[in-house]
Every structure is written in C-alpha cells, then in structure tokens.
Amino acid sequence: MKRRTLFALTGLAVLAGCGSPGAGSKGNTGLSFANRLTVPPLLAPTVTADGTKQFALTMRKGRTAILPGKPTATWGFNGAFLGPTVRAARGDRISMRVRNQLGEPSTVHWHGMRLPAAMDGGPHQVVAPGATWTPHWTIDQPAATSWYHPHLHGSTAMHVYRGLAGLFLIDDAETAALGLPSTYGVDDVPLILQDKVLDADGGLKEDPEPTWGLIGDQILVNGVHDPFFEVTTTSVRLRILNGSNARMYNVEFADRRRFAVIGTDAGLLAAPVSVDRVQLSPGERVEIVVEFAPREQVVLRSVGGDHGIDEGDHQLLKFIAAEQLRPGRPVPQRLATTPRVEAPADATQRRFRLSGSDEINGREMDMSRIDEVVPAGATEIWHVQNTVYAHNFHIHEVAFRILDIDGRQPPAYLQGPKDTVFVPEKSTVRLAVRFGHHTDPTTPYMYHCHILRHEDKGMMGQFVIVEPGTEASVPRTLSNHHQHG
Ligand code: C2O
Ligand code: CU
Ligand code: CU
C-alpha cells in the first residue's frame, strides 16, 4: 500500500506546514494524507422508563497524539479531544447529564437547537467545576446537523479551541424517507474542520492574532492531522461543520467536481443545489452529496480568499475510492417540504450594527442587560450591518433565511434554513428570522459574532422570548444573572 511510504514523509510535511500564527498564514498544501480519518463515535443514550433518551457528556482534560510522538494537551467530552456525536429524532424527549471535570467553570450550548432558554447552555447556564447540569427538552425541529460547544462568557474561544466541540444530529421521518446516504461513518460522514497552531513539541499555541483571535495553519478534520478517507460507495454525504475559532473555508474538490448541497445549518434545502464550492464561516454547517468513481483519489481543499479570515490554500482531506463501490441512489429532486421562512409585510424590523470587534450597536455584551424582547412565534426582519472587516452573525433558538446581502440575493445554496451567516466587510445582510414558542422573560438567548474572540470580547447581545402582548412590561435588567469566572 502506498500509504506506508506516505507515512514516512509525514514528519517532513508537518515541519514544512508549521508556520507562524496569525493572519497572513501561508496555507498548507504539502499534506501526505497518512492518517485514516476517524469519525466521532455515536453516543448511546440510556432510555428511561418514560422513554426519555438520556445522554451523558463529561468535560475533561486529556492528551492527544495529533502529531506522531508529540502528545498535545487537549480537552474533550467523554474522551481526550472533541466529543461523541449525539443523535436524536424529532419528537424525542431527551435529557443530558453534563459533568464538568475541567477544574474550572464552563457551559455547554446546543448550537442550532430550539429549546427553552434555561436549557440552551449559554453564558447564564454555568456548570461549576465538579458539578453536573441536567437540561432536558423535546426535539421539535426538522432534521439538521447541529453541534454543541462551551459558551462561557469570555472563555468560549479557548474552551472550543482546546477541543470541546461535538456534533448533534437531528433526524426526522421525512428525511429518512428520502433515501439519502445515511450509514454513519460509511456514506454519511461528518467533517469537523478546525485550525490549530501547533508548536514544535505538539502543544496548542493560544496566542491570539490581534484582530481575529486564533487563525491556525494546521487544519484538523475530526481532530485528525493529515487525513485520508476510504470511500466504499458511489455517493457520499458529507456533513461539514466549521468548528474553527475564526477561520473561514472556501471548500472545493481539487478537480473542481460538482456536488449537491442538500442542507445548511437548520435543515435540508427544498431541492439540491449543484455547486463546485461552498463557503463556511465559523459555526456554519453544510450537508453535501458527492459522487465517486472506483479507484479515484481526490483531495478536498479550502482555497484562499480575501476576507482576512480565509487566507491561504489548505488541503483538508484525501478521498481514496475502493476498487468496487456500492452504488447509491440519486439525490431526489425534492428534499425538505418545510415552508421557507417568510416574514409578514408588517414584520418587526431590528437593526444590528457591527463595528470594531467587541460591540453591537455600540454596546458591549452585558450579562445583566436584555437588548431585545421578541414575542413568541414572531417572524421578524433583522438587518445586520457590518461597518468594518469580516464578521458573522449567529442567533440562538431560531431558523432564519438570508433575504439579501447588500440588496442582492444570496447564492441558491444559501437560501435555505440557517442559524449563522457570514457578514462580509462593509455590507448589510437582511434575515427573515422565525422565533420559537418557549417563553421566559428572565432567561435570555444570545445573538453574536461567531468569530469566538469577538464573541468573548463582547460582540454579543441578549434577547428574551415572551408572551405576545407582554413585551412592554418585561424588565430590561436581570437582577439575578450568574456571574462568570
Ligand atoms: Cu455556536 Cu452562541 O453559539
Ligand atoms: Cu448557538
Ligand atoms: Cu466578528
């Protein structure tokens, strides 16, 4: 097997790829694809007497062999690095047992999940060292690729960077009936993209670049450096998560083959969209289906762009197809039937101005201040105006649709259900945002830039969802909010 000779070269490739931290990182196209991609294990729930699926996640520290012979100090859920994949279906009652064995406070936020604010795992739901947090809710949203990660105010960036992140896959009956590739780890493969800066002895360097925070020059896929994946089917569904702190990816295959985008952050598109490249800013997900021929090999890569957070060309992963591939079904021409998010003609309009890197509408995040009060079930139009360099925007609890970017329609693959959007430099993005029905006037959800250093520095705001008609009487100051460490 060719991989043996490739393995001998890995050490060299690693040294060649280790650049200086920060913007201007030159990219990394010297991979040898020596390491088999691992896929995060599915987390088996315990099913309680009333049918609730109970999942146990323990945050802990560990060591991981990212580079050969140079163990890296990392953090993970249930293991040393990253976390297992949680999987549940629409209608499931689930409960989590989140234990914190980090020796310092953290939180676990379910990014993309529609649930009561007290279960959301944002900065107010601190899990003290040694404590166990037990949120529970009923899954009530369409099939999607979601994820989970810490959200401790001021510390999110480093907690995620050290390895606290995992996938949360939501299934539903409608999606299951489509015949999409769905054998986990075989033809339905999650790819968590994260960039790191590794020092000479394998340590994670955390020195932030001044504008963006952490932009690394080593891209790990599912925590694996220099990976390959053995393809055994003609069609493969990839669920790609940008789990990076700041880096944006422009993802394509080296031979520029086309592939079908079938879903984005908050669920499937109405119909597949054929493209040869997708852009993913931090926190965004995309589901694609790509076709392979027997014995072919092709590299997935990210090409450099000019947004400051997407510099440099980077190889990500090599696909190596087997001699014989199990044939798959073509992607159906109709996917989700969930109606798209439409705002009524008299929709409430709200404006959010991103300037600098630590404020929204001129104000830094304040855990005791409610910035916006939203009536349950509303669909509103949010204008996100960026007056400076690249940012993005994520809203908890919702699904939104991008109406336009500087007045122009987004590309077709970005017209589906989303919860996170790239906001290019000096541009305005308009979103039609559909809010849920879990009311709680004293526990806020967050909206923020998902460049994690910006979020940590205060480019974040808080909203509550309340009973329609009670907006005016909702207190704008939280008396009892949790202080964080
Ligand atoms: Cu991915 Cu506020 O989170
Ligand atoms: Cu979120
Ligand atoms: Cu930002």
Side-chain angles (χ1 to χ4, degrees):
M1 268 316 255
K2 188 177 308 137
R3 278 197 300 281
R4 292 214 176 275
T5 42
L6 290 177
F7 186 73
L9 295 169
T10 316
L12 282 175
V14 165
L15 290 175
C18 271
S20 52
S25 82
K26 50 198 175 304
N28 189 350
T29 52
L31 295 194
S32 48
F33 312 105
N35 304 313
R36 185 180 298 273
L37 182 76
T38 55
V39 169
L42 288 171
L43 182 59
T46 307
V47 182
T48 64
D50 69 353
T52 301
K53 289 182 180 166
Q54 196 172 80
F55 293 94
L57 290 170
T58 299
M59 295 186 264
R60 41 158 287 199
K61 299 182 176 180
R63 291 175 91 68
T64 303
I66 297 175
L67 303 182
K70 297 173 177 171
T72 302
T74 52
W75 291 8
F77 291 95
N78 299 0
F81 196 28
L82 298 175
T85 297
V86 179
R87 186 156 206 174
R90 187 168 200 168
D92 281 352
R93 300 210 310 197
I94 63 167
S95 87
M96 296 286 171
R97 296 188 60 78
V98 178
R99 287 177 70 196
N100 180 354
Q101 293 190 334
L102 296 171
E104 59 185 275
S106 191
T107 83
V108 180
H109 164 57
W110 320 103
H111 178 135
M113 200 64 64
R114 283 168 237 170
L115 37 47
M119 311 296 171
D120 191 43
H124 294 270
Q125 288 87 44
V126 175
V127 191
T132 300
W133 178 55
T134 56
H136 52 88
W137 69 94
T138 299
I139 306 259
D140 184 20
Q141 63 189 96
T145 299
S146 301
W147 63 303
Y148 59 93
H149 63 78
H151 216 302
L152 185 70
H153 189 41
S155 302
T156 296
M158 283 311 116
H159 287 199
V160 174
Y161 180 67
R162 291 169 190 159
L164 291 177
L167 289 160
F168 198 137
L169 307 185
I170 300 167
D171 299 316
D172 65 18
E174 184 185 314
T175 306
L178 291 172
L180 294 165
S182 54
T183 308
Y184 184 77
V186 176
D187 65 1
D188 181 356
V189 183
L191 303 178
I192 303 171
L193 307 182
Q194 294 182 310
D195 56 334
K196 307 291 174 193
V197 184
L198 293 163
D199 64 25
D201 27 75
L204 283 175
K205 284 181 81 164
E206 299 189 349
D207 311 341
E209 186 276 336
T211 308
W212 312 111
L214 220 134
I215 297 194
D217 50 10
Q218 298 288 338
I219 319 267
L220 308 184
V221 184
N222 299 343
V224 179
H225 174 255
D226 202 12
F228 71 90
F229 177 76
E230 255 171 327
V231 174
T232 58
T233 58
T234 55
S235 332
V236 177
R237 174 191 197 168
L238 300 172
R239 302 175 188 253
I240 310 176
L241 159 68
N242 182 352
S244 303
N245 283 45
R247 180 178 283 285
M248 183 160 72
Y249 301 88
N250 303 300
V251 178
E252 64 174 31
F253 290 89
D255 62 2
R256 307 300 305 276
R257 72 182 55 196
R258 301 188 73 81
F259 50 87
V261 177
I262 59 167
T264 46
D265 311 332
L268 292 185
L269 303 181
V273 175
S274 172
V275 298
D276 62 4
R277 182 185 290 173
V278 289
Q279 182 178 67
L280 283 173
S281 72
E284 287 185 288
R285 291 86 71 204
V286 68
E287 290 189 32
I288 68 171
V289 175
V290 57
E291 305 295 324
F292 293 98
R295 284 182 299 276
E296 73 176 345
Q297 303 198 352
V298 63
V299 170
L300 187 73
R301 67 185 182 190
S302 175
V303 294
D306 52 11
H307 296 288
I309 50 176
D310 58 355
E311 285 190 341
D313 295 340
H314 294 266
Q315 294 174 324
L316 302 173
L317 169 69
K318 183 185 251 183
F319 291 87
I320 302 175
E323 305 235 330
Q324 289 189 352
L325 301 180
R326 188 159 50 78
R329 281 195 262 171
V331 174
Q333 280 316 297
R334 299 293 308 154
L335 297 168
T337 56
T338 324
R340 63 178 204 168
V341 182
E342 298 286 2
D346 61 346
T348 299
Q349 317 255 336
R350 298 183 203 254
R351 292 186 157 73
F352 302 88
R353 198 180 65 258
L354 311 179
S355 53
S357 61
D358 55 9
E359 57 183 33
I360 296 177
N361 290 340
R363 299 201 291 190
E364 257 182 46
M365 161 78 167
D366 178 342
M367 298 231 339
S368 65
R369 184 186 68 229
I370 300 299
D371 297 283
E372 306 293 337
V373 177
V374 176
T379 301
E380 303 190 341
I381 296 183
W382 283 26
H383 304 240
V384 184
Q385 180 198 7
N386 179 358
T387 65
V388 287
Y389 40 81
H391 290 294
N392 79 356
F393 200 75
H394 166 52
I395 311 174
H396 288 205
E397 199 282 331
V398 308
F400 61 65
R401 180 165 64 90
I402 306 170
L403 295 174
D404 45 50
I405 303 169
D406 277 340
R408 286 184 300 277
Q409 286 229 316
Y413 82 89
L414 287 177
Q415 295 182 21
K418 289 187 56 64
D419 59 44
T420 306
V421 60
F422 177 53
V423 187
E425 46 277 28
K426 297 197 165 56
S427 67
T428 297
V429 172
R430 283 195 323 139
L431 309 171
V433 188
R434 185 165 54 214
F435 294 86
H437 294 271
H438 298 287
T439 57
D440 184 343
T442 60
T443 310
Y445 299 99
M446 306 294 132
Y447 54 85
H448 56 89
C449 179
H450 217 289
I451 293 174
L452 297 180
R453 179 175 171 79
H454 296 175
E455 173 190 329
D456 278 340
K457 284 167 59 184
M459 190 170 255
M460 177 154 65
Q462 310 197 99
F463 71 98
V464 287
I465 295 182
V466 303
E467 213 51 63
T470 66
E471 295 89 317
S473 60
V474 168
R476 296 303 197 109
T477 305
L478 296 174
S479 42
N480 231 344
H481 78 94
H482 292 271
Q483 282 300 340
H484 53 91

